Amino acid sequence: MKTIFISLLSLLLLPACGGSAARSKRTAQTAPAAAQEQPKTYTYRIVAAYPHSTEAYTQGLYYDNGLLWEGTGQYGESRVQTVDLTTGKTDVLARLPRSEFGEGIARVGDELFQLTWQSNTAHVYSLKDGKLQKIRDHRYPGEGWGLTTDGTKLYMSDGTANIHTVDPATFRREKRVTVTFKGVPVNYLNELEWIGGKLWANVYTTDQIAIIDPATGVVEGIVDLTGLLPEAEAAPETDVLNGIAYDAAADRIFVTGKNWPKLFEIEIIEK
């Protein structure tokens, strides 16, 4: 896999989420919005590297109480699992039907939410004693991509430049913001994470993470992770960067990719 820096402004040429990079021909939005302040740019330092299953097509990732939780995609392979950070050992807790393609996951209280790509369904599980039991489904329009929470509300991406604020009890969309970089909408927002009051979003098919003001949608920072996975460690099945998790107690940031052999703890450094 070659790691190539792609400017966010070049996203108008990029395809959509799901499986391979050729899955969508959706037309990107191009109309510029009001002028915005110059976003900060960040590089990174690798703090630690951990094993990660190359069978995990990572769609959702979060850290909770010493464990990573991971939602994976691909038809017939979509599941929710926990990951032991040190060993990379996985424990599969739920599997989706072969007809569904899993996407982002997030936990609110004792409930875990899992999106599906094109099935218009969010699965909700109760979480007790480390076990998952499905308790209900919610329907939603359009595609499901990334999902995260501020602890009260859910935030959902759908492959466009929009992020929806969602009520976890009803899955009703309460608000929508359009994410913009220097006034231009940013499509292909993928996996999401809530860090320090901001939304962090993988931008599909790039090595970049956008740091977003959730109230305005303005991209306030860009984290460039070019070269994170050495080319020598990539295999034919290695896919794009995707997956952000945050350990709030220890202020640690974890990132990985689809079918990557490693998961990285990183520190970001302003350029």
Side-chain angles (χ1 to χ4, degrees):
M1 177 188 72
K2 294 182 179 179
T3 308
I4 303 172
F5 178 84
I6 304 174
S7 167
L8 284 180
L9 291 178
S10 71
L11 290 175
L12 303 179
L13 304 176
L14 292 180
C17 173
S20 69
R23 302 187 65 146
S24 174
K25 297 180 181 177
R26 182 183 291 121
T27 301
Q29 298 168 276
T30 58
Q36 298 172 357
E37 292 185 11
Q38 181 71 20
K40 294 181 179 180
T41 57
Y42 300 89
T43 184
Y44 64 93
R45 180 179 72 87
I46 296 175
V47 177
Y50 304 95
H52 180 253
S53 172
T54 56
E55 296 181 359
Y57 190 83
T58 307
Q59 299 287 72
L61 196 69
Y62 75 88
Y63 183 90
D64 182 44
N65 196 28
L67 281 176
L68 281 164
W69 289 72
E70 185 173 41
T72 71
Q74 302 287 29
Y75 292 109
E77 300 177 14
S78 297
R79 57 193 181 271
V80 178
Q81 60 193 19
T82 57
V83 183
D84 182 278
L85 187 60
T86 303
T87 66
K89 181 180 178 182
T90 61
D91 183 11
V92 177
L93 302 181
R95 295 184 184 273
L96 289 185
R98 297 187 64 85
S99 60
E100 294 186 351
F101 196 117
E103 289 281 347
I105 62 172
R107 178 180 177 179
V108 180
D110 290 330
E111 294 184 344
L112 184 141
F113 295 77
Q114 180 185 27
L115 299 179
T116 55
W117 181 34
Q118 293 183 320
S119 298
N120 313 109
T121 303
H123 300 294
V124 187
Y125 307 88
S126 66
L127 176 59
K128 294 182 180 179
D129 301 321
K131 305 294 183 182
L132 292 183
Q133 181 177 355
K134 194 166 80 165
I135 53 176
R136 65 181 185 276
D137 288 339
H138 292 289
R139 300 285 290 172
Y140 54 82
E143 297 181 358
W145 285 40
L147 194 67
T148 191
T149 180
D150 60 5
T152 302
K153 299 294 184 181
L154 291 164
Y155 296 82
M156 173 182 172
S157 64
D158 60 7
T160 69
N162 296 322
I163 291 180
H164 305 272
T165 304
V166 177
D167 179 357
T170 63
F171 223 75
R172 183 175 66 87
R173 295 177 177 181
E174 299 181 336
K175 179 183 177 182
R176 183 186 72 187
V177 297
T178 299
V179 174
T180 55
F181 175 77
K182 297 182 180 179
V184 178
V186 179
N187 284 306
Y188 318 115
L189 300 171
N190 204 359
E191 218 273 300
L192 303 176
E193 182 67 26
W194 185 272
I195 302 178
K198 307 295 181 181
L199 284 167
W200 288 42
N202 284 118
V203 183
Y204 184 60
T205 77
T206 79
D207 293 315
Q208 297 175 330
I209 292 173
I211 301 175
I212 304 159
D213 182 336
T216 65
V218 171
V219 174
E220 298 182 337
I222 298 295
V223 183
D224 177 17
L225 297 182
T226 298
L228 179 62
L229 181 68
E231 190 168 343
E233 298 185 36
E237 69 271 14
T238 305
D239 212 312
V240 298
L241 179 80
N242 198 53
I244 311 166
Y246 182 56
D247 175 6
D251 192 26
R252 296 189 295 172
I253 299 169
F254 303 100
V255 293
T256 191
K258 301 170 185 286
N259 304 121
W260 280 27
K262 287 185 178 178
L263 178 142
F264 297 92
E265 179 186 343
I266 62 168
E267 173 190 358
I268 66 169
I269 303 165
E270 187 172 353
K271 293 183 178 178

